[in-house]
Amino acid sequence: MELKGTIKLIGDVQNFKDTFTKKSIVITTDEKYSNDIEIEFIKDRISLINNLKVGDYITVGININGRGWENPETKITKYFTSIIGWKVDVGEKETVSIPVGQETGDDLPF
């Protein structure tokens, strides 16, 4: 799966228990109703985003991971979802242009 968007934020590297590292970025998608999506890069994949900067337009190959955690006191299970990046391509935002005189698909009479 892929996500495309403009980098809004680049986080710092986080270390957990000396064996696990991650770094996150937030991209703003270029859909009609844009979303800010956090994508995590873990361990050696952090190097994929080291040279990126805020404002870059990227395509990110992602995996979506989910897991549950049961609170030992309440026995209520809470579910968490992570978006993990594994590939990054830097490019330019695609623009759609309609030649003059070509139909746009609108059915409006004016």
Side-chain angles (χ1 to χ4, degrees):
M1 180 178 270
E2 290 184 341
L3 288 175
K4 294 181 179 186
T6 304
I7 297 176
K8 180 177 186 173
L9 178 106
I10 300 174
D12 295 325
V13 174
Q14 297 175 309
N15 296 301
F16 303 91
K17 296 186 180 180
D18 297 329
T19 58
F20 181 77
T21 57
K22 76 174 185 176
K23 184 174 181 176
S24 298
I25 63 172
V26 174
I27 66 169
T28 301
T29 62
D30 56 356
E31 302 161 333
K32 181 177 180 180
Y33 301 104
S34 63
N35 289 288
D36 291 337
I37 309 283
E38 181 180 30
I39 304 168
E40 299 175 345
F41 291 81
I42 54 177
K43 298 184 180 183
D44 62 332
R45 301 287 182 178
I46 292 172
S47 65
L48 296 173
I49 60 173
N50 283 340
N51 295 322
L52 298 178
K53 60 187 180 306
V54 172
D56 284 347
Y57 183 81
I58 60 173
T59 301
V60 184
I62 62 164
N63 290 328
I64 300 174
N65 297 334
R67 64 195 170 286
W69 173 79
E70 182 179 288
N71 184 318
E73 295 176 7
T74 64
K75 302 298 184 201
I76 295 173
T77 302
K78 184 169 182 172
Y79 293 91
F80 299 90
T81 304
S82 299
I83 300 174
I84 308 297
W86 55 269
K87 176 184 167 189
V88 177
D89 292 318
V90 180
E92 298 201 11
K93 186 174 182 177
E94 298 172 7
T95 58
V96 177
S97 60
I98 300 172
V100 175
Q102 185 173 344
E103 291 290 324
T104 63
D106 289 343
D107 293 332
L108 299 174
F110 48 91

